[in-house]
């Protein structure tokens, strides 16, 4: 499998969109200036480097060596195979360290004209020599330029490609945009829903995001729906990203239904100074500028300890105009954050890392607009900002110098999410509800007379414009223990235990809008909710490896307990939220399994198969107008089968073809109450999902890289439950909403050596996605369809040693790429898009 290691930084990775005006709020101006101090004051760029690399797989050890030395190394993972490295510790030249690492492996290395280190099989007539004496060779065909120096690893069968994140889009959306089978769809609170092979959208998150080994799940809110509150932590100073399109629940973590994204922030480098800085400026048609800045400093504390500090800030300019209020570019998005990681290795078999991260985000208004008004136009009555404050601490301890290693993850976080919505349209709509009128007058008869109807409608209109305010505090405490024997040959195993507790406390308040979203007007509805989730799990994996052969079996058992309580403080006569109901508990659990086989079938060709069963817990709804039999919902499960074929087409090309089938049983889906005032979850039935994914990377000429990625998917209902009418109607054969059936991406990049030490790269890319619809059936009055779209981008970048400069254009032909459209109580045809034409200039400096 072709693996491109772009490990050219010793410090910060390029961040998401960062705003200069937010830097002052986190006290970062001086900190951001530190990387601009001349490098000799801190680092030994041309001399010895302190290395600390434990015994592990040779492939991983080479990657860590590149990171610690700040050098770029390119090699095929098949060359390293399943070999194990020697432990490497001490201060020495880079060439000596690499030579020690490769000793006995049958591999050697050389340096290309572009100063890239190329690892290759040792020739019987030529031994490994020092880099300075290595013979020059033609420039290596480069990958697309890295901005985050990390890999986008896709599990289980695919090549590893470069992760391309730019300051204007360093988030989950940018992370998965080049991953076949995975799509990211936006929501009103600035959050994203991840859909992996057709699975996602409602209930607890179906695809989990891990940051520094900690699963980060967004709060559910009043709709019992956390799937649209994916972690929004900026991907700054990231070492590695791993994307799995199936659950890896038997290996670690809290378990998932569809897939996982693991984000590993850069750990402190022992015994060496390092750091970096980046700046970005973006312009978009019809919108405000994007600004970003970040800085990282790696501080050695002796030879066995180090501290790594990262600060970042960004401003993503708005581009949606409000035709009612006359305000322009209302949806700007500001992020600022700090991260501290301390690491100490008191003895060779003990590694301790403590992480503390904080991030503040403020979204001035929703990014949705209405198709009836034209692209990027809305007519909301006022701006309703959303703020996120996230604070997390994690302690990771690894113990064991041999093949058996104990890992402990202890983590806690607090996520405060303050949401505000313009509820005016829903309030006016409920002013026409006969049952609401009956509640208002306390009538026993089924309807109001004309005078009462008009009086009630006037009352509802007097509450407009209306504001829905939902402040939420979500906390998590987690403890995970794993014991593993990572054997590159023969049997290996992992065994672990997990205890996880999550809680949410929130208020839901409806009031008239006073002109200031921070000042409460007349309150006509208020609830308090408390939700707790407890999970205990046992998991383990048994595997056998021999060269390119891998056979593994994983099992996991989970026990879940979810409890919810709803207290009505101010009765809402319009929506019917009048009565409190007592604490309700839901218990669920079950067994998850995974069988995985990688089998070499010919030189350069391998075949893989995988069978999985994963589960998601049931829960308790928080809507206050439900009948008792709808207060809880059952867990759902995913039975999957997958076949894959990987082929190396000569030295510089690779192809992967994957086919899969997912049987989604008792699928959780979002329903609306009869008066459309509350959302809740039901089990709508079963669905069969069939799909194929294709990936090709080719380097036909030196310096030229071409990529093609495609996915086809079909997702239809095979059984419906009695809850089908509650979701607007659904029947066998209906397609799952919000699932694009076709996605295609292609890119072409060409690089040249400039001035002996520099590299110039020009690239272009194209993305196509078919349309989707918002309901199971076109007969649903909420049906909205989005059309297919194409996006074109181009860029040019220059890199010299540890400095890079890039210019990137996106959506060149200014097509409106509509990612999602919905109709609900907030409005008809709310549409979320990828944004208008934009151009970004960014600069990076590392040492």
């Amino acid at each position: 499998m072709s693996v491109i290691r772009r490990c050219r930084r010793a410090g910060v990775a390029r961040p998401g969109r960062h705003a200069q005006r937010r830097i002052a709020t986190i006290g970062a101006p001086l900190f951001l200036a530190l990387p601009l101090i001349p490098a000799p004051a801190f680092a030994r760029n041309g001399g010895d480097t302190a290395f600390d690399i434990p015994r592990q797989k040779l492939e991983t050890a080479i990657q860590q060596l590149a990171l610690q030395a700040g050098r770029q190394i390119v090699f095929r993972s098949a060359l390293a195979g399943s070999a194990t490295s020697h432990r490497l510790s001490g201060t020495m030249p880079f060439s000596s360290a690499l030579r020690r690492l490769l000793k006995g492996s049958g591999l050697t290395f050389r340096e290309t004209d572009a100063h890239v280190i190329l690892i290759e099989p040792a020739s019987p007539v030529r031994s490994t020599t020092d880099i300075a004496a290595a013979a020059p060779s033609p420039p290596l065909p480069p990958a697309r330029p890295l901005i985050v120096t990390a890999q986008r690893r896709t599990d289980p069968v695919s090549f590893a490609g470069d992760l391309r994140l730019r300051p204007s889009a360093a988030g989950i959306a940018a992370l998965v945009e080049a991953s076949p089978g995975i799509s990211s769809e936006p929501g009103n609170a600035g959050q994203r829903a991840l859909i992996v092979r057709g699975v996602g959208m409602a209930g607890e998150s179906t695809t989990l995001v891990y940051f520094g080994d900690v699963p980060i799940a967004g709060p559910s809110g009043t709709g019992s729906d956390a799937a649209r509150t994916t972690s929004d932590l900026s991907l700054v100073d990231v070492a590695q990203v791993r994307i799995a399109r199936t659950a890896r629940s038997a290996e670690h973590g809290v378990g998932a239904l569809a897939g996982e994204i693991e984000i590993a922030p850069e750990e402190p480098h022992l015994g060496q100074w390092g750091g970096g800085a980046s700046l970005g400026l973006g312009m978009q048609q019809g919108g405000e500028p994007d600004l970003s800045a970040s800085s990282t400093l790696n501080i050695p504390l002796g030879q066995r300890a180090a501290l790594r500090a990262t600060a970042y800030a960004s401003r993503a300019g708005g581009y949606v105009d409000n035709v009612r209020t006359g305000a322009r570019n209302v949806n700007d998005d500001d992020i600022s954050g700090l991260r501290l990681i301390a690491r100490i290795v008191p003895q060779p078999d003990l590694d301790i890392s403590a992480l503390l991260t904080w991030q503040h985000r403020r979204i001035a208004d929703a990014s949705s607009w209405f198709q009836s008004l034209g692209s990027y136009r809305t007519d909301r009555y006022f701006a309703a900002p959303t703020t996120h404050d996230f604070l997390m601490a994690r302690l990771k301890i690894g113990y064991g110098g041999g093949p058996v290693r104990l890992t402990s993850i202890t983590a806690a976080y607090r996520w405060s999410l303050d949401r505000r919505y313009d509820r005016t349209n829903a309030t006016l709509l409920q002013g026409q509800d006969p049952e609401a009128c009956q509640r208002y007058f306390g009538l026993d008869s089924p309807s109001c007379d004309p005078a009462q109807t008009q009086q009630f409608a006037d009352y509802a209109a007097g509450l407009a414009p209306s504001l829905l305010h939902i402040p939420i505090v979500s906390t998590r405490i987690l403890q995970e223990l794993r014991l593993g024997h990572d054997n590159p040959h023969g049997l290996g195993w992992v065994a672990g235990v997990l205890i996880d507790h999550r809680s949410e406390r929130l208020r839901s308040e409806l009031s008239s809008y006073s002109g200031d979203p921070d000042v409460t007007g007349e309150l006509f509805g208020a609830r308090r909710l408390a939700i707790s989730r407890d999970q205990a799990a046992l998991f383990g994996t048994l595997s056998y490896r021999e060269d390119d052969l891998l056979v593994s079996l994983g099992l996991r058992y989970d026990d879940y307990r979810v409890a919810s309580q709803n207290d009505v403080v101010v009765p809402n006569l319009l929506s019917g939220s009048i009565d409190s109901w007592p604490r309700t508990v839901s218990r669920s659990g079950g067994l998850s399994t995974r069988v995985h086989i990688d089998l070499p079938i010919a030189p350069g060709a391998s075949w893989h198969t995988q069978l999985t069963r994963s589960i998601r817990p049931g829960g308790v709804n928080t809507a206050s107008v439900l009948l008792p039999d709808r207060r809880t919902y059952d867990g759902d499960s995913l039975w999957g089968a997958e076949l894959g074929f990987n082929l190396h087409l000569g030295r510089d090309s690779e192809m992967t073809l994957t086919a899969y089938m997912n049987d989604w049983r008792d699928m959780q889906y979002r329903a609306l109450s009869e008066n459309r005032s509350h959302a809740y979850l039901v089990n709508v039935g079963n669905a069969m999902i069939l799909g194929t994914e294709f990936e090709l990377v080719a380097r036909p000429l030196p310096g030229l890289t071409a990529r093609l990625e495609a996915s086809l998917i079909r997702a239809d209902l095979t059984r419906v439950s009695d809850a089908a009418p509650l979701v607007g109607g659904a029947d066998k054969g209906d397609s799952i909403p919000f699932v694009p059936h076709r996605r295609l991406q292609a890119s072409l990049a060409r690089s040249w050596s400039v001035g002996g030490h520099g590299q110039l790269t020009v690239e272009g890319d194209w993305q196509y996605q078919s349309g989707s619809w918002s309901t199971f059936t076109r007969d649903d009055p909420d049906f909205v369809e989005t059309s297919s779209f194409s996006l074109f981008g181009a860029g040019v970048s220059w890199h010299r040693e540890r400095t890079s400069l890039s210019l990137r254009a996106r959506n060149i032909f200014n097509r409106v790429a509509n990612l999602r459209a919905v109709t609900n109580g907030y409005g008809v045809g709310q549409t979320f898009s990828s944004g208008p034409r934009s151009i970004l200039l960014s600069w990076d400096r590392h040492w």
Side-chain angles (χ1 to χ4, degrees):
M1 183 171 62
S2 174
V3 181
I4 300 175
R5 301 293 192 250
R6 299 288 302 242
C7 301
R8 56 177 168 82
R9 77 197 180 300
V12 68
R14 188 169 291 176
R17 296 174 289 186
H18 305 290
Q20 293 174 341
R21 75 175 191 180
R22 299 295 304 180
I23 298 173
T25 66
I26 60 176
L30 177 60
F31 185 62
L32 290 171
L34 287 176
L36 305 181
I37 298 174
F42 295 102
R44 311 179 192 89
N45 285 337
D48 295 349
T49 302
F51 294 99
D52 181 39
I53 301 175
R55 182 178 181 270
Q56 57 191 306
K57 290 184 64 176
L58 179 59
E59 176 183 346
T60 306
I62 295 173
Q63 182 182 9
Q64 290 190 8
L65 178 75
L67 288 170
Q68 294 182 19
R71 298 299 300 267
Q72 182 180 343
I73 300 178
V74 178
F75 69 106
R76 293 181 180 276
S77 61
L79 294 178
S82 56
T84 302
S85 71
H86 303 285
R87 176 173 176 76
L88 181 66
S89 180
T91 301
M92 66 193 77
F94 169 73
S95 57
S96 299
L98 183 53
R99 187 181 298 111
R100 291 189 186 186
L101 208 60
L102 298 179
K103 184 178 179 180
S105 66
L107 301 175
T108 185
F109 62 90
R110 58 187 172 89
E111 185 176 9
T112 71
D113 290 343
H115 302 283
V116 175
I117 306 304
L118 177 63
I119 294 178
E120 57 191 5
S123 169
V125 298
R126 178 186 175 186
S127 61
T128 303
T129 59
D130 193 274
I131 293 177
S137 62
L140 184 78
R144 290 181 287 185
L146 282 177
I147 293 176
V148 171
T149 309
Q151 296 170 268
R152 174 175 60 83
R153 285 182 153 185
T154 309
D155 182 54
V157 173
S158 81
F159 56 87
D162 295 334
L163 172 63
R164 302 190 308 149
L165 295 181
R166 304 179 184 89
S168 63
I172 292 295
L175 181 66
V176 303
E177 69 176 0
S179 299
I182 306 179
S183 59
S184 170
E185 298 192 355
N188 257 325
Q191 297 295 279
R192 292 272 172 172
L194 299 178
I195 302 177
V196 176
R197 293 175 171 175
V199 180
M201 301 306 296
E204 282 290 292
S205 300
T206 55
T207 295
L208 283 176
V209 176
Y210 289 81
F211 189 90
D213 298 292
V214 181
I216 301 176
S220 59
T222 58
S224 300
D225 188 353
R228 289 199 173 277
T229 49
T230 300
S231 165
D232 62 353
L233 287 176
S234 292
L235 303 185
V236 181
D237 197 28
V238 169
Q240 178 176 290
V241 176
R242 180 188 178 100
I243 299 176
R245 284 169 277 182
T246 55
R248 298 174 53 237
S249 306
E251 301 173 24
H252 73 121
V254 298
L257 185 68
E260 298 178 4
I261 297 176
E262 297 175 61
I263 303 168
E266 190 70 67
E267 291 285 334
H269 302 166
L270 301 182
Q272 67 180 88
W273 287 89
S278 68
L279 297 172
L281 170 63
M283 305 295 293
Q284 53 185 338
Q285 186 175 23
E288 293 183 343
D290 295 342
L291 300 171
S292 68
S294 74
S295 180
T296 291
L297 188 60
N298 193 92
I299 307 170
L301 305 174
Q303 293 298 313
R304 294 187 175 272
L307 176 68
R308 193 173 186 88
T310 300
Y312 56 91
S314 72
R315 175 180 174 80
Y319 53 84
V320 175
D321 298 334
N322 192 317
V323 298
R324 182 184 298 275
T325 64
R328 292 177 53 81
N329 309 320
V330 297
N331 60 317
D332 55 280
D333 187 349
D334 293 279
I335 297 177
S336 56
L338 288 170
R339 186 189 310 147
L340 297 174
I341 307 179
R343 182 185 174 208
I344 183 171
V345 185
Q347 56 191 51
D349 57 355
L350 180 61
D351 195 331
I352 302 173
S353 172
L355 178 149
L356 181 67
T357 186
W358 167 84
Q359 179 173 290
H360 172 79
R361 183 180 185 188
R362 184 184 187 277
I363 305 160
D365 201 4
S367 295
S368 61
W369 47 274
F370 295 97
Q371 295 181 5
S372 59
L373 301 176
S375 300
Y376 308 127
R377 291 171 175 261
T378 183
D379 65 348
R380 286 182 288 270
Y381 287 78
F382 53 87
T386 297
T387 59
H388 303 255
D389 283 285
F390 184 84
L391 179 65
M392 183 179 77
R394 181 222 65 186
L395 178 65
K396 181 178 181 180
I397 302 175
Y399 179 76
V404 178
R405 188 168 182 82
L406 175 66
T407 302
S408 170
I409 306 292
T410 306
Y413 67 69
R414 184 180 190 270
W415 188 345
S416 297
L417 174 57
D418 196 343
R419 293 170 168 165
R420 291 175 171 86
Y421 300 96
D422 180 351
R423 181 76 175 181
T424 305
N425 288 330
T427 300
L428 296 175
L429 181 66
Q430 290 165 9
Q432 309 300 318
D433 183 5
E435 293 184 0
C437 181
Q438 182 182 350
R439 286 191 296 268
Y440 180 74
F441 288 103
L443 303 177
D444 294 330
S445 59
S447 62
C448 296
D449 60 36
Q452 291 172 322
T453 299
Q454 184 60 50
Q455 183 179 346
F456 175 68
D458 292 341
Y459 165 73
L463 299 174
S466 58
L467 168 69
L468 173 60
H469 183 204
I470 310 178
I472 307 172
V473 176
S474 176
T475 60
R476 182 173 218 153
I477 301 175
L478 175 144
Q479 177 63 60
E480 178 181 354
L481 290 173
R482 295 194 304 267
L483 190 64
H485 175 62
D486 186 12
N487 193 349
H489 299 282
L491 290 175
W493 52 268
V494 173
V497 60
L498 170 90
I499 298 176
D500 181 33
H501 172 74
R502 293 166 54 197
S503 66
E504 297 173 19
R505 295 189 177 277
L506 60 146
R507 303 194 315 272
S508 176
E509 297 179 346
L510 272 166
S511 67
S512 58
Y513 180 64
S514 64
D516 184 346
D518 295 322
V519 177
T520 302
E522 179 185 349
L523 201 65
F524 60 91
R527 293 188 292 148
R528 290 192 176 95
L529 296 94
I531 307 167
S532 65
R533 297 176 173 88
D534 294 284
Q535 177 185 358
L538 296 171
F539 56 87
T541 299
L542 182 65
S543 62
Y544 177 82
R545 299 175 184 270
E546 191 63 43
D547 296 327
D548 292 331
L549 173 67
L550 170 63
V551 179
S552 69
L553 171 64
L555 298 174
R556 179 187 182 97
Y557 183 80
D558 288 283
D559 180 71
Y560 300 97
R561 182 179 182 273
V562 182
S564 177
Q565 183 170 343
N566 176 51
D567 294 319
V568 174
V569 180
V570 178
N572 187 338
L573 298 175
L574 273 68
S575 68
S577 180
I578 298 174
D579 298 322
S580 303
W581 43 273
R583 188 167 179 265
T584 304
V585 177
S586 172
R587 298 293 298 263
S588 60
L591 188 68
S592 300
T593 62
R594 183 185 187 190
V595 178
H596 181 96
I597 300 173
D598 285 337
L599 181 66
I601 56 178
S606 63
W607 168 81
H608 122 219
T609 188
Q610 183 170 253
L611 302 175
T612 60
R613 179 186 188 261
S614 54
I615 64 172
R616 182 170 53 161
V620 180
N621 282 305
T622 57
S624 61
V625 296
L626 301 178
L627 297 175
D629 63 345
R630 294 296 178 190
R631 288 180 181 170
T632 62
Y633 55 92
D634 296 330
D636 51 0
S637 62
L638 197 69
W639 297 74
E642 180 177 326
L643 296 174
F645 178 72
N646 181 262
L647 178 64
H648 291 271
L649 305 171
R651 179 178 177 180
D652 297 315
S653 299
E654 183 177 0
M655 181 192 74
T656 300
L657 180 64
T658 304
Y660 62 89
M661 175 189 70
N662 285 327
D663 183 7
W664 192 358
R665 301 183 182 180
D666 299 317
M667 178 175 61
Q668 296 174 15
Y669 197 76
R670 204 173 193 221
L672 288 175
S673 59
E674 186 175 352
N675 64 0
R676 306 174 62 81
S677 62
H678 293 274
Y680 61 101
L681 294 177
V682 296
N683 300 97
V684 73
N686 297 354
M688 180 62 68
I689 304 172
L690 303 174
T692 59
E693 296 162 355
F694 174 79
E695 302 166 85
L696 173 67
V697 59
R699 300 178 182 89
L701 298 172
L704 181 64
T705 302
R707 297 175 184 270
L708 178 64
E709 300 174 342
S711 70
L712 300 174
I713 186 172
R714 179 170 180 173
D716 299 331
L717 291 174
T718 58
R719 180 187 68 86
V720 295
S721 69
D722 62 351
L726 304 176
V727 298
D731 205 348
K732 291 176 60 177
D734 288 343
S735 295
I736 297 178
F738 303 111
V739 177
H741 290 183
R742 299 177 302 280
R743 297 181 71 208
L744 183 65
Q745 299 171 19
S747 67
L748 192 66
R750 179 71 168 93
S751 297
W752 299 268
S753 294
V754 178
H757 297 281
Q759 179 174 282
L760 180 68
T761 301
V762 178
E763 67 168 328
D765 60 75
W766 167 67
Q767 175 185 355
Y768 167 82
Q769 180 172 302
S770 63
S772 63
W773 45 93
S774 61
T775 60
F776 286 101
T777 172
R778 292 178 178 269
D779 296 331
D780 191 317
D782 292 338
F783 176 84
V784 182
E785 184 176 9
T786 60
S787 59
S788 60
F789 63 84
S790 292
L791 291 176
F792 293 86
V796 58
S797 62
W798 172 81
H799 172 71
R800 180 182 175 89
E801 296 179 345
R802 301 177 186 274
T803 302
S804 64
L805 187 68
S806 68
L807 183 66
R808 173 76 186 175
R810 185 176 182 273
N811 200 4
I812 294 175
F813 297 105
N814 201 30
R815 289 288 303 276
V816 178
N818 295 338
L819 302 177
R820 175 175 172 250
V822 293
T823 292
N824 52 33
Y826 295 100
V828 177
Q830 295 180 87
T831 304
F832 300 85
S833 303
S834 65
R837 176 189 299 152
S838 61
I839 186 170
L840 173 73
L841 176 66
S842 56
W843 168 86
D844 288 271
R845 170 65 174 153
H846 309 291
W847 73 83

